[in-house]
Amino acid sequence: MSGAGRTAAIFGCSGPALSDAERRFFREADPFGFILFARNIEDPSQVSALTRELRMAIGRDAPIFVDQEGGRVQRLRAPHWREWMPPLDAVRRAGQAAERVLWIRYRLIAEELRAIGIDGNCAPVADILTSETHSFLANRCLGGEAGRVSRLARAVAEAHLASGVLPVMKHLPGHGRATGDTHHDLPTVSADRETLAATDFAAFRALSDLPLAMTAHVVFSAFDTRPATCSPAMIRVIRDEIGFGGLLMTDDLSMQALSGDLGERAGAAIAAGCDLALHCNGDMPEMEAVAASAGAMSAAARARAEAALARRRDPEPVDSRQLEAEHADLLGGHVHG
């Protein structure tokens, strides 16, 4: 299948099962993939049924994503799935063993996701922690030094890939200096180009070979007055300076950092150079507007999508109990961290 008419979007759905209207819409729009949230999740058998339904609606093995970082950003929770402390807390507790701890943690998370038909996780967060980082993001970061962050994020990504789950690194070109929460406001980062290149951009540059990434709804005033998601200048930074050659999706277009209606937001992001518009809340009129404005995936986006999906593979065999025991030992007896 060429995918020439495939909509340049990833969509959510409204509940734990598809409505007839959603099936019809998804069949017609044929989005690149889907994303699930807590409203879509009850128990393993229900999620497995929903992921099958989504793929059946468009007649192919589309990728299905979720945000399962651990800590506050964790859509699958006890009693059916493991609970995890925030990533930064785990890194600090693990110390010199942080790379191994994160590899185990996300190997176990990815195993849980793959078992219920989810094969994409919006992690790792490779944003650089600073004294200015907003609290909505701070403990989701992995550290404050670009080299260490990139090494830890690499461990997270490789753990996912070993489990047959695609990692989505975020938020390019860097969210750590933003003092606002993009769910509610549009932050502006005023750091100069040289500082950004040596810090925030550097962490992502070392990860530029990863298959998928997500943009930041943040203004970088040294480059543009528009948020990175809708800025051709910032997409050029992501592609040329950072060197990311993979599939680039927006952060959720419903976030209030962006202006205009949902169709305008989607159109601006695709025009700027994003490959995919991400719309998460399952609102049907909004999804219809996003689909109409995003249009079909470009030939370049289809090529990047094909390369990203080729990174999905059968999981490597692993002894989960042994990994969990090692993880607990490395964290001083904290089984989940």
Side-chain angles (χ1 to χ4, degrees):
M1 183 183 296
S2 70
R6 191 160 298 153
T7 297
I10 296 170
F11 288 127
C13 55
S14 61
L18 290 188
S19 68
D20 290 340
E22 286 172 330
R23 285 191 193 89
R24 287 193 296 271
F25 170 72
F26 293 146
R27 187 177 304 114
E28 180 177 346
D30 191 18
F32 170 72
F34 303 97
I35 189 166
L36 302 185
F37 281 80
R39 67 178 180 274
N40 308 122
I41 292 164
E42 293 174 346
D43 58 60
S45 62
Q46 170 269 323
V47 179
S48 296
L50 177 58
T51 56
R52 286 194 299 271
E53 273 193 290
L54 287 165
R55 291 182 172 113
M56 286 175 61
I58 57 176
R60 59 184 167 83
D61 186 20
I64 298 177
F65 300 90
V66 74
D67 289 293
Q68 192 74 353
E69 297 172 13
R72 181 170 52 83
V73 181
Q74 181 170 328
R75 312 306 182 199
L76 291 83
R77 293 193 170 272
H80 301 294
W81 297 279
R82 299 176 180 91
E83 293 279 343
W84 304 94
M85 70 174 73
L88 185 62
D89 294 357
V91 167
R92 287 174 170 168
R93 187 181 295 274
Q96 295 301 309
E99 284 184 54
R100 179 63 178 171
V101 162
L102 289 179
W103 188 91
I104 295 172
R105 168 191 174 109
Y106 288 99
R107 188 74 162 86
L108 293 170
I109 285 174
E111 182 183 51
E112 290 185 325
L113 300 183
R114 181 79 183 213
I116 53 175
I118 297 172
D119 56 7
N121 191 16
C122 298
V125 171
D127 302 311
I128 300 296
L129 180 68
T130 73
S131 60
E132 302 172 310
T133 305
H134 192 279
S135 58
F136 98 95
L137 180 66
N139 68 0
R140 299 163 57 194
C141 296
L142 301 177
E145 191 275 314
R148 179 164 166 79
V149 168
S150 64
R151 290 191 297 274
L152 295 175
R154 173 72 63 183
V156 173
E158 293 299 334
H160 282 92
L161 291 168
S163 303
V165 173
L166 294 171
V168 182
M169 66 171 170
K170 54 192 184 186
H171 307 80
L172 269 72
H175 208 308
R177 294 179 186 274
T179 58
D181 180 349
T182 47
H183 293 86
H184 308 292
D185 303 292
L186 175 60
T188 295
V189 169
S190 57
D192 60 51
R193 294 179 180 223
E194 293 74 18
T195 299
L196 290 167
T199 55
D200 302 68
F201 298 174
F204 289 107
R205 192 179 304 118
L207 301 163
S208 61
D209 60 304
L210 293 181
L212 301 104
M214 180 183 292
T215 63
H217 298 333
V218 175
V219 171
F220 294 85
S221 61
F223 295 88
D224 200 353
T225 58
R226 290 167 288 188
T229 299
C230 302
S231 164
M234 295 315 300
I235 303 304
R236 284 195 295 272
V237 167
I238 290 169
R239 293 299 190 194
D240 299 336
E241 184 171 342
I242 292 174
F244 177 68
L247 191 65
L248 185 65
M249 66 182 72
T250 71
D251 203 345
D252 183 11
L253 293 178
S254 299
M255 294 162 69
Q256 296 310 303
L258 302 182
S259 59
D261 62 32
L262 269 295
E264 291 168 337
R265 298 177 188 188
I270 298 299
C274 293
D275 293 319
L276 298 168
L278 175 65
H279 182 271
C280 297
N281 67 23
D283 179 274
M284 182 62 74
E286 290 185 1
M287 290 195 293
E288 291 171 342
V290 168
S293 294
M297 293 176 68
S298 68
R302 293 199 306 273
R304 288 190 281 264
E306 185 176 345
L309 293 177
R311 302 284 293 273
R312 290 190 299 189
R313 61 176 189 257
D314 291 336
E316 297 171 9
V318 70
D319 185 333
S320 299
R321 290 187 179 182
Q322 184 178 19
L323 283 183
E324 193 160 26
E326 181 185 354
H327 186 268
D329 184 60
L330 290 171
L331 289 178
H334 290 261
V335 175
H336 300 150

